[in-house]
Amino acid sequence: MEILRTLAHQPVNSKNNMCERSKAADLRSKKSEHHTHAHQELSRIVTDYKTGRCYCRGKLLGKGGFAKCYEFSDLVTGKVYAAKIIPHTRVSKPHQRAKIDKEIELHRGLHHKHIVHFYHNFEDKDNIYILLEYCSRRSLAHILKARKVLTEPEVRYYLRQIVGGLKYLHEQEILHRDLKLGNFFITELMELKLGDFGLAAKLEPVESRRRTICGTPNYLPPEVLNKQGHGRESDVWALGCVMYTMLLGRPPFETTNLKETYRCIREAHYCLPSSLSSTAQSLISSMLAKSPQHRPQLDNILSHDFFTQGFTPERLPVSCCVSSPNFQRSPARNFFRKAAAALFGGRREKERYYHTIKLSKEEEVHRLQSDLKKITISTPAATDTASVDSVLPLARRSTPPPASADEVRDSIHMIVRGALGASSSSSSSSTEGVEDGSMASVVDSVARVLRDCLEKMAEAESIPKKKGGSTSFLWVTKWVDYSNKYGFGYQLSDHSVGVLFNNGTHMSLLPDKKTVHYSAELGSCCVLSSAEAKESFQGQVTILKYFAHYMEENLMDGGNLSKGTDVSKPSLYLLQWLKSDRALMMLFNDGTFQVNFYHDHTKIILCREGKAHLLSYINEDRVSTTVCLSALLTNGCSAHLRERLHYAYNMLMQLCI
């Protein structure tokens, strides 16, 4: 191409120049013939001769230095893949082929919700084919190209998933080394998948690290440019560049020439516009710290104020690929805005109420926020890591008597005073398996069972064989944390819906949608018809129904565990819930104990059935296994489950502090 550009600027009246132009025309003709020939070589139908499977090549999805990526369809099953195709001519040298083989070996062993799934690889005389998970919404780079910039809620949504996938990689002692928007792929359901492991490598000790400078120039960290090698902190630096780029539409160190870009990177010199929120500026600054030792760990990123003090959507609409979302019109906001209108009347009355509270409670807000300090608990040794998670305990308050309509309204406004939730709330009159039905007794009973299990359980590689038959116990299939205004809502496996309000009272709407259970103190339960309840507790019933409607319309069930129930057993009532950076814990009046882990969506449910304790585990593929605890003690379980049980126990013990 450089020759052609030169020739194009030569005088046209020279014989030599005419000869050169003729040669250039021949070169162009040969180049065109080469491309046509190459296109013909890549057949429309590709056969894996080892398996006999045939694939139909579809549209081009993208291309890189060595490979092109096409849509591939299995002609028998119709399943669609993203096929990475590398011509043998591009990897003819031994070190080039070794690089591809290393990528295949590394990617094949990765299994995580936020990692592009590796399905299969094969080759023929012309090409190497790698079949990967198909992500129909392409990549974050394509989305940003259409959108220019993203909103902070979207950035939180994507970053949570990126951190989840990256944390898994780092736990496998793998560094990605090329984090950028083009390597974050988006599925049909707007879920993010981390892909392209061409530059990924195993983590090495500092003294043994390769000094290779590799990656995308705008995202390289100072230590790599200074030939000190890649570490986990290098991926965190790239993550800071990614966050900056999503929010501002350009990388932080982008300049007109590469030399200047590298100078800015080495000095960690970049601008943070005032248009960014203070929490976004703080998080970016921490990730783009010049010294690797000063950058946050992945767990600390998710516990930063940018995440804890900002709204993160559960799901993004597909329209976000091309236009900015309007979160004010999201289903949850619509439901709860209507609920607030039903509770507080017109705008003027509501504004006057909030203004009064704000003026009279300013000092109390500050005091309560100071009291709600994060408590750190160590991850058990079974995890082989030194990470810690922050757990935010709920404020414990005495439970009030049955509330009047005015008291209900006042209690809902407890958010203005900084309250997050209540530890003591409702309970059914039956507390089978719990000594005296008190909060302390429930916690102690469950803690004792978990402690005995962890201390006496045998070592094993897997979970014991599934327990036969259906289960009749109840468990939480959906939940909504709206404690910054009203309370914590959940749906049980029998489709009853409960809300633990911020004032400590509890209300349940039974599966018949006509009966309401109301509890104002531990051990008591008032059964009302929906009409009676609405008349007596209009505000809380309104909130309860909006929670129920929202979960039914917008959330999917949390697993495939049997939903059979024993109608003779009383419904569960939530006593207390607790959230950490890693999991949600829920404790119920009969000792049922459930922990949901966010990033891989695994769940642990401990309950009683008759005289036996049952443990159910729902894995990342939403497949459940239920065993008697006695069998678990005898046969043991995998380290994966044991680590989660340790974590669940540590969360439970926070209630005793």
Side-chain angles (χ1 to χ4, degrees), residues 97-135:
R97 179 58 196 243
K99 180 179 179 293
I100 298 301
D101 291 340
K102 178 185 175 184
E103 178 184 350
I104 291 172
E105 180 185 2
L106 186 150
H107 197 170
R108 182 190 282 121
L110 300 177
H111 303 282
H112 189 271
K113 180 176 180 176
H114 296 302
I115 300 287
V116 170
H117 188 67
F118 182 102
Y119 284 103
H120 180 52
N121 69 286
F122 64 96
E123 55 188 281
D124 57 24
K125 62 183 179 62
D126 297 312
N127 304 298
I128 301 167
Y129 303 89
I130 304 174
L131 301 188
L132 305 169
E133 181 178 4
Y134 179 63
C135 298

Side-chain angles (χ1 to χ4, degrees), residues 311 313-315 317 325-337 482 550 554:
F311 166 66
E314 289 288 328
R315 182 77 65 187
N326 186 348
F327 293 114
Q328 294 300 320
R329 295 182 180 178
S330 68
R333 298 281 176 110
N334 280 340
F335 291 146
F336 292 118
R337 187 161 60 246
Y482 213 65
Y550 174 70
N554 296 278

Side-chain angles (χ1 to χ4, degrees), residues 379-613:
T379 305
T383 63
D384 291 328
T385 68
S387 63
V388 295
D389 286 290
S390 298
V391 177
L392 186 62
L394 307 177
R396 286 190 270 276
R397 296 185 288 279
S398 58
T399 308
S404 66
D406 288 340
E407 289 170 334
V408 169
R409 176 175 296 183
D410 290 347
S411 71
I412 298 299
H413 277 293
M414 288 186 74
I415 178 58
V416 183
R417 301 198 295 270
L420 290 177
S423 63
S424 58
S425 68
S426 60
S427 170
S428 74
S429 56
S430 172
T431 54
E432 181 183 3
V434 179
E435 292 174 4
D436 58 14
S438 69
M439 167 64 73
S441 177
V442 177
V443 173
D444 183 65
S445 176
V446 177
R448 186 168 60 248
V449 169
L450 272 175
R451 185 169 56 249
D452 289 347
C453 178
L454 290 168
E455 288 177 354
K456 301 173 183 177
M457 185 166 50
E459 296 288 340
E461 296 297 324
S462 62
I463 305 172
K465 190 177 179 181
K466 286 186 179 181
K467 173 183 177 289
S470 64
T471 55
S472 61
F473 61 84
L474 297 173
W475 63 289
V476 175
T477 59
K478 303 177 182 181
W479 59 272
V480 175
D481 174 11
Y482 213 65
S483 58
N484 66 331
K485 283 198 175 182
Y486 307 117
F488 183 89
Y490 59 93
Q491 178 178 290
L492 294 172
S493 51
D494 67 348
H495 294 285
S496 61
V497 174
V499 176
L500 179 58
F501 290 98
N502 285 345
N503 68 340
T505 61
H506 186 284
M507 190 172 279
S508 294
L509 181 65
L510 271 55
D512 62 8
K513 307 303 178 187
K514 298 177 181 178
T515 307
V516 172
H517 285 184
Y518 175 78
S519 297
E521 59 184 7
L522 193 64
S524 71
C525 178
C526 177
V527 181
L528 302 167
S529 68
S530 182
E532 290 172 331
K534 189 170 183 180
E535 184 177 345
S536 303
F537 309 104
Q538 181 178 358
Q540 283 173 296
V541 171
T542 301
I543 297 296
L544 174 65
K545 289 188 174 180
Y546 278 116
F547 266 109
H549 189 117
Y550 174 70
M551 287 187 284
E552 186 65 32
E553 293 294 320
N554 296 278
L555 303 182
M556 56 191 235
D557 288 338
N560 71 345
L561 195 60
S562 169
K563 295 183 183 179
T565 58
D566 181 356
V567 295
S568 65
K569 293 181 70 174
S571 295
L572 293 189
Y573 293 88
L574 186 63
L575 293 182
Q576 188 163 17
W577 58 278
L578 194 68
K579 287 176 78 175
S580 74
D581 299 327
R582 184 180 174 190
L584 163 72
M585 181 202 79
M586 294 165 284
L587 180 65
F588 291 84
N589 60 294
D590 71 341
T592 295
F593 177 68
Q594 180 169 334
V595 178
N596 293 10
F597 293 88
Y598 307 138
H599 301 307
D600 59 4
H601 300 285
T602 57
K603 299 168 183 68
I604 291 172
I605 303 145
L606 179 67
C607 67
R608 287 181 64 92
E609 192 171 72
K611 295 183 179 180
H613 279 94

Side-chain angles (χ1 to χ4, degrees), residues 46-60:
V46 177
T47 303
D48 178 0
Y49 292 102
K50 287 188 177 180
T51 64
R53 288 191 174 276
C54 295
Y55 303 92
C56 179
R57 178 177 56 83
K59 64 183 178 182
L60 178 68

